[in-house]
């Protein structure tokens, strides 16, 4: 099973219609994404709960580490730089945090709110090496912008 980002984006948009609560939106996005693609072995959000600190939010899959400083891991790099992290081989990523021993590749995207602030990051792990590509980055970014662009919108 391979995700159709257009179709999944439409389903998520209709489920999230009129909602602006961050956790409710995150839980809904994670559920729809996680069940849409066999590559997605762990799907979850980390939220910025204080300056330079991420804490786990809604997720699906095995155990997720609870706290990640901006200075550490793939998630920290995405929050710190504001740039999508496409990791073909987690063993080759300096400072990768292994919450699961089976993860081989990963994609982490910053989540921007309507005021241009970083709310957190979306992290998707795969047990397959090199599982993610530019199409995933584009498809996921479009969904995140549509859903979270209304949070804190001025
Ligand atoms: N691997 C991530 C940590 C979170 S787990 O993948 C759920 C990282 O390096 O930041």
């Amino acid at each position: 099973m391979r995700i159709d980002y257009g179709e999944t984006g439409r389903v998520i948009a209709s489920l999230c219609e009129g909602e602006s609560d961050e956790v409710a939106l995150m839980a809904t996005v994670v559920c729809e994404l996680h069940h849409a693609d066999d590559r997605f072995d762990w799907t979850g959000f980390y939220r910025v709960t204080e300056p330079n600190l991420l804490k786990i939010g809604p997720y699906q899959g095995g155990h997720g580490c609870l706290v990640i400083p901006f200075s550490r891991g793939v998630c920290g790099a995405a929050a710190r730089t504001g740039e999508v992290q496409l990791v073909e081989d987690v063993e080759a990523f300096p400072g990768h945090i292994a919450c699961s021993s089976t993860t081989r590749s990963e994609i982490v995207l910053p989540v921007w709110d309507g005021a241009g602030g970083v709310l957190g990051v979306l992290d998707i792990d795969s047990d397959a090496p090199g599982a993610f590509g530019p199409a995933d980055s584009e498809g996921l970014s479009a969904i995140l912008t549509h859903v979270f662009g209304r949070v804190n919108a001025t």
Side-chain angles (χ1 to χ4, degrees):
M1 179 174 45
R2 192 84 178 201
I3 189 168
D4 173 334
Y5 283 108
E7 180 50 29
T8 300
R10 282 186 290 278
V11 168
I12 288 173
S14 70
L15 289 169
C16 294
E17 186 66 37
E19 183 56 65
S20 60
D21 176 79
E22 221 177 284
V23 173
L25 295 172
M26 287 178 172
T28 305
V29 169
V30 161
C31 175
E32 296 305 315
L33 290 177
H34 192 68
H35 296 100
D37 198 303
D38 296 336
R39 296 170 297 160
F40 300 176
D41 294 300
W42 192 93
T43 311
F45 285 93
Y46 283 87
R47 303 163 298 123
V48 178
T49 54
E50 58 188 84
N52 304 315
L53 193 76
L54 295 164
K55 276 203 178 157
I56 199 150
Y59 70 92
Q60 302 228 359
H63 166 72
C65 308
L66 269 62
V67 178
I68 300 176
F70 276 34
S71 57
R72 294 196 56 218
V74 186
C75 294
R80 190 175 65 245
T81 64
E83 288 160 13
V84 175
Q85 307 293 311
L86 243 175
V87 181
E88 297 238 334
D89 173 6
V90 293
E91 308 287 336
F93 188 96
H96 169 259
I97 302 167
C99 301
S100 160
S101 59
T102 60
T103 298
R104 296 271 84 58
S105 60
E106 191 159 350
I107 183 169
V108 182
L109 306 97
V111 179
W112 303 96
D113 68 12
V118 176
L119 284 176
V121 299
L122 171 65
D123 178 13
I124 306 179
D125 299 346
S126 182
D127 295 347
F132 306 103
D136 298 297
S137 177
E138 285 152 31
L140 292 165
S141 296
I143 290 172
L144 293 175
T145 301
H146 180 82
V147 172
F148 295 97
R150 73 188 68 172
V151 177
N152 300 334
T154 49

